[in-house]
Amino acid sequence: MASLVPSRSLNVTGEIEMALKWTALGVLPNINMMSDVFAGEHMALVGFQDDRFLDALANGPNLQTFLSKFEGNHGQRLRPSLLVRSDAYPDRPNSEAISSFMDIVVACVVLDARVRAVTWRRNVGPFHTDAFEIYPWMIDPQGKRLVAGNAALWAIHELDKFRGAASAAVPVQDVGNEPAHPRFFKQLLALWKSRFIDGHNDWTSRAILRSLKMAASAMRLSSPTGSTESFYDYGRVLSLWVSAFEILVHPGATGKATRQRVLDLLKSIPWQSEMAREETHSADFGGGKTFDLRLANALYMKMNDLRNNFLHGNAVEPEDFRLKNGTLILSFPAAIFRMALATILGDPDGVTSEQVIAGEKTREEYGQHLQATRFRNDCEECLLAAVKPQTPDDE
């Protein structure tokens, strides 16, 4: 186990300098973070094996005791993860900065989990944003009492009487390096840092981070128990997804988000397979106008129409959520949104085969690039499930 003593390192001049000091902001009992990807200079989400976790324990009076009181719903011992901040942060982060950071982590994990749930036909990771909820109770900086505060609760309590539990609505799951998408997190973290650390408020960064908030909301559990879930909940979820796309393409004060802007973005996605690129999928534009579009565009048109019917109170039936091959329309927004984000963000660290041939990049660098962009194949395979014949789950 790593030492609790803060580590030291050599700076560029060879002088010894102390490493950053980390302090716990919140506890996540439903996530066992095994990856070290989700960390920046100012904030990080870390698991018990991470040096920053150990540093937070050393800097948090009675934090270890607090964490030891968490159990699963059936008495199993938990190893909650910690959201921590460093002393490089100019001040204590506000709730918007914390929330936005968690939205970035969710985008790097849950979007991929949802894509693979379609392609692998089983749950392969945290499927709902709820797994990343920060526990409402936290020990105070002096380690003397517990405090809780939100729109519904403001309270204090004694540590020795506390019993912590994971959410009963979603499972406790490991999050490892597969999938974690370090390059994607790096890109989103740069936007977050620009907004909340450097104080820049450019429209593009604000739109992307705001869009991530909508997507994270769309991926929340509709109901803690299936007995209260309704297909009207699916209408609400679909509305959030459409809103996430509209925010993503909003041009700012010079214009407004439109259906066509979203369709233009989706058409610009560099799909690889001919089936995803060909404009052979019919979509109803209203007024008796029907056009053939790319698959992602046709799926978005159906999402948009369903959203409008729900929000305007028009008649909607459960079968409206089913596509011709029986798949659910809600199986595909995550893949389309992930590819839309990748298209907007670009890939400054990308490596092409032409660069390798020219000697500008090595084969190893190209192999790393292919691994980092494997999500494109996963998203495309997910999307094609909307039109391919479905086989029974046991085949």
Side-chain angles (χ1 to χ4, degrees):
M1 179 177 288
S3 170
L4 293 181
V5 178
S7 61
R8 298 182 295 175
S9 59
L10 293 176
N11 61 23
V12 292
T13 64
E15 299 173 336
I16 294 178
E17 60 181 12
M18 295 302 293
L20 294 170
K21 174 183 175 182
W22 294 88
T23 305
L25 292 174
V27 177
L28 287 80
N30 279 80
I31 290 295
N32 182 17
M33 181 56 69
M34 307 298 292
S35 172
D36 61 358
V37 166
F38 304 111
E41 179 187 359
H42 302 87
M43 195 177 293
L45 179 58
V46 294
F48 69 94
Q49 79 288 350
D50 194 288
D51 285 344
R52 285 159 291 214
F53 186 102
L54 299 174
D55 194 36
L57 291 184
N59 296 322
N62 283 329
L63 178 58
Q64 174 74 72
T65 302
F66 176 60
L67 294 177
S68 70
K69 291 176 174 287
F70 280 88
E71 294 183 344
N73 292 284
H74 300 283
Q76 69 273 32
R77 184 185 176 188
L78 298 181
R79 294 183 181 273
S81 298
L82 287 178
L83 179 67
V84 296
R85 74 169 177 94
S86 78
D87 52 4
Y89 210 105
D91 196 0
R92 181 178 175 85
N94 60 30
S95 59
E96 185 180 356
I98 293 173
S99 177
S100 186
F101 183 87
M102 293 307 302
D103 292 338
I104 290 172
V105 175
V106 164
C108 293
V109 177
V110 182
L111 286 174
D112 193 277
R114 289 190 167 225
V115 168
R116 294 189 177 189
V118 175
T119 58
W120 295 4
R121 306 189 75 174
R122 59 186 174 87
N123 194 335
V124 293
F127 192 84
H128 294 99
T129 310
D130 309 66
F132 290 87
E133 285 291 338
I134 298 174
Y135 198 75
W137 289 93
M138 185 60 180
I139 194 163
D140 73 2
Q142 291 74 40
K144 296 181 179 179
R145 62 183 183 179
L146 302 181
V147 295
N150 57 34
L153 172 70
W154 177 255
I156 59 175
H157 214 289
E158 299 173 38
L159 175 59
D160 61 352
K161 295 182 179 180
F162 174 72
R163 295 294 181 271
S167 169
V170 292
V172 176
Q173 291 184 291
D174 295 344
V175 175
N177 287 321
E178 175 65 28
H181 298 302
R183 194 183 297 185
F184 187 34
F185 179 76
K186 176 184 175 182
Q187 290 177 295
L188 295 178
L189 185 66
L191 299 180
W192 179 88
K193 181 177 180 294
S194 175
R195 170 73 178 84
F196 294 104
I197 302 299
D198 301 331
H200 300 153
N201 197 19
D202 65 284
W203 182 264
T204 300
S205 297
R206 183 161 37 142
I208 292 174
L209 294 176
R210 185 177 172 186
S211 179
L212 290 179
K213 171 59 66 182
M214 282 295 179
S217 298
M219 293 187 290
R220 291 186 65 85
L221 194 64
S222 296
S223 168
T225 173
S227 62
T228 60
E229 192 171 64
S230 162
F231 93 96
Y232 292 117
D233 290 311
Y234 302 157
R236 173 178 52 81
V237 169
L238 198 61
S239 299
L240 291 168
W241 272 120
V242 172
S243 180
F245 282 102
E246 290 177 337
I247 292 170
L248 200 58
V249 302
H250 200 297
T254 59
K256 63 180 181 179
T258 64
R259 181 181 65 184
Q260 190 58 48
R261 286 186 184 275
V262 177
L263 293 175
D264 289 343
L265 169 61
L266 300 187
K267 189 174 182 179
S268 71
I269 294 174
W271 302 106
Q272 300 176 77
S273 73
E274 183 179 350
M275 188 178 293
R277 292 195 308 269
E278 60 187 7
E279 298 183 2
T280 58
H281 306 277
S282 180
D284 184 0
F285 278 69
K289 297 179 180 179
T290 302
F291 298 99
D292 288 337
L293 308 175
R294 287 186 172 187
L295 178 55
N297 293 57
L299 289 172
Y300 179 78
M301 282 294 298
K302 183 173 180 64
M303 290 166 51
N304 188 77
D305 289 345
L306 274 172
R307 186 278 302 263
N308 290 342
N309 284 333
F310 262 99
L311 294 188
H312 297 155
N314 298 333
V316 182
E317 300 297 333
E319 56 266 26
D320 294 335
F321 281 87
R322 293 280 179 186
L323 302 177
K324 290 181 179 180
N325 67 348
T327 53
L328 285 169
I329 186 66
L330 283 173
S331 298
F332 307 106
I336 302 173
F337 186 73
R338 177 66 178 93
M339 289 297 291
L341 279 173
T343 302
I344 286 180
L345 291 171
D347 192 358
D349 297 321
V351 178
T352 65
S353 58
E354 289 77 14
Q355 288 177 309
V356 177
I357 294 173
E360 299 172 1
K361 297 290 183 178
T362 66
R363 290 182 179 274
E364 181 181 2
E365 289 174 315
Y366 185 57
Q368 292 172 346
H369 166 76
L370 292 178
Q371 179 66 22
T373 56
R374 195 177 68 181
F375 73 90
R376 293 181 176 273
N377 296 330
D378 293 337
C379 288
E380 192 151 336
E381 184 181 353
C382 172
L383 219 60
L384 296 180
V387 291
K388 288 183 175 181
Q390 295 298 297
T391 57
D393 289 339
D394 58 353
E395 291 189 6

